[in-house]
Amino acid sequence: MNSLWLLHALLLLQVHLSNQLEDNKIPPSLCTGHPGIPGLPGAHGSPGQPGRDGRDGRDAAPGETGPKGDMGGPGETGLRGLTGDRGDPGEKGEGGKAGECAVAPKSAFSVKLSEGHTLPLAAGDAVRFDKVLINEQGDYNTETGRFTCKVPGVYYFAVHATVYRASLQFDLMKNAHAVASYFQFYGNWPKPASLSGGSLLHLVPGDQVWVQMALSEYSGFYSSTKTDSTFTGFLVYSDWKNSAVFA
C-alpha cells in the first residue's frame, strides 16, 4: 500500500511541475541535470570530397636582380640545318672605273742596203743596213747597224743577201758572240746568187744583235733596183710578267 501511495504521489508531483513549467515558461537551462558520463569514441568517418581550388594569390613585388652567373661552357654542335631558299638577286652595283687598256709589247724592224752602198771590207765590221723599211720603236740604229733590245723576250732575226761579184760570209752576232754563220760561194756567174738565214734569240734589255763580216775577202753583199739585201727582226713573245700594260 505504501508503495502505491508513493508512486501515486510522484505522478501528481510530475504533473504539477509540468503544468508549472508550461505556465511559467521556465527556461530549459534551469532544468539542466548533471553532465552524463562521456560516451565511447565514435568510429572513423569516411574521407571527405576534395575541396575546390583556392583563388590565385596576388603578384608579389619584383625581387632584386641577382648577381651575373658564370659563363657556361660551349654546347654540343647542333645538326646541320636544311638549305634555305635562294635569296632574291641583289641590286646591281655601280660600274667600276675604266681600267687601262692592255697593250702588247712591240718591237720590230726591217732594213736593207741602199743601191750602190759601200760596204765595210774589214772582218769584224758591222754591216750597216741604211735604208729603213719599218722601225717604229726605233730599236734599230742605222748609224751603227745594231738592234738594241728594250723588251725582254724571244726574237726572230733573218738576213737575206744578194751575192754578186764575190763570195759572201757573215755572222749573226749577239753582243760579242756569233750565234749563226752563213757562207755563199760566188763563181763568176753572170747572174747574182742569194744567201738567206734566220735564228731565234732570247734577249734581255740592253742586248744587241747585228750582222758582221766574217772575212774581208768574202764581202759579196749586193743591192740594186732589181734585188735587195735585207736584215729583219721582230719580237715573238715577251717575258714581261709584272704588268700587262705597256706604253
Side-chain angles (χ1 to χ4, degrees):
M1 288 292 289
N2 291 332
S3 298
L4 292 174
W5 182 85
L6 180 58
L7 180 60
H8 182 70
L10 289 174
L11 291 172
L12 292 175
L13 180 60
Q14 184 177 2
V15 170
H16 177 72
L17 291 175
S18 297
N19 292 332
Q20 187 176 1
L21 287 173
E22 183 68 23
D23 294 339
N24 297 326
K25 298 183 181 297
I26 299 172
S29 59
L30 297 179
C31 298
T32 301
H34 295 288
I37 299 172
L40 297 174
H44 292 289
S46 60
Q49 297 180 351
R52 291 181 294 178
D53 294 336
R55 293 181 299 174
D56 295 335
R58 296 180 180 178
D59 294 334
E64 296 180 358
T65 303
K68 183 178 181 180
D70 296 333
M71 183 175 181
E76 296 181 358
T77 302
L79 298 176
R80 184 181 180 87
L82 299 175
T83 303
D85 297 334
R86 185 173 181 177
D88 297 331
E91 296 181 359
K92 185 176 180 180
E94 297 180 358
K97 295 181 179 179
E100 297 180 354
C101 180
V103 179
K106 300 176 182 179
S107 180
F109 74 94
S110 185
V111 291
K112 68 178 184 177
L113 292 175
S114 59
E115 298 85 359
H117 185 73
T118 302
L119 296 177
L121 300 178
D125 287 344
V127 180
R128 296 190 297 272
F129 296 85
D130 59 321
K131 193 169 184 178
V132 175
L133 301 177
I134 186 171
N135 188 30
E136 293 181 353
Q137 291 76 37
D139 296 339
Y140 178 82
N141 188 330
T142 57
E143 296 296 326
T144 63
R146 300 189 180 200
F147 167 84
T148 303
C149 173
K150 296 178 182 176
V151 179
V154 173
Y155 290 77
Y156 181 74
F157 294 93
V159 181
H160 173 77
T162 298
V163 183
Y164 189 56
R165 296 175 182 170
S167 297
L168 176 63
Q169 184 173 354
F170 62 86
D171 298 325
L172 182 64
M173 303 295 295
K174 174 185 174 183
N175 299 329
H177 304 283
V179 294
S181 297
Y182 306 92
F183 174 78
Q184 173 63 52
F185 174 76
Y186 180 74
N188 294 319
W189 301 311
K191 293 183 180 181
S194 64
L195 173 61
S196 299
S199 182
L200 283 169
L201 298 178
H202 185 273
L203 305 179
V204 297
D207 284 346
Q208 290 188 330
V209 178
W210 67 93
V211 177
Q212 180 173 293
M213 298 301 297
L215 294 173
S216 58
E217 61 267 31
Y218 295 154
S219 58
F221 270 110
Y222 179 76
S223 180
S224 70
T225 57
K226 299 296 184 179
T227 184
D228 290 304
S229 293
T230 63
F231 179 32
T232 299
F234 56 88
L235 176 67
V236 178
Y237 61 85
S238 170
D239 285 343
W240 253 326
K241 299 178 181 178
N242 295 332
S243 174
V245 179
F246 305 97

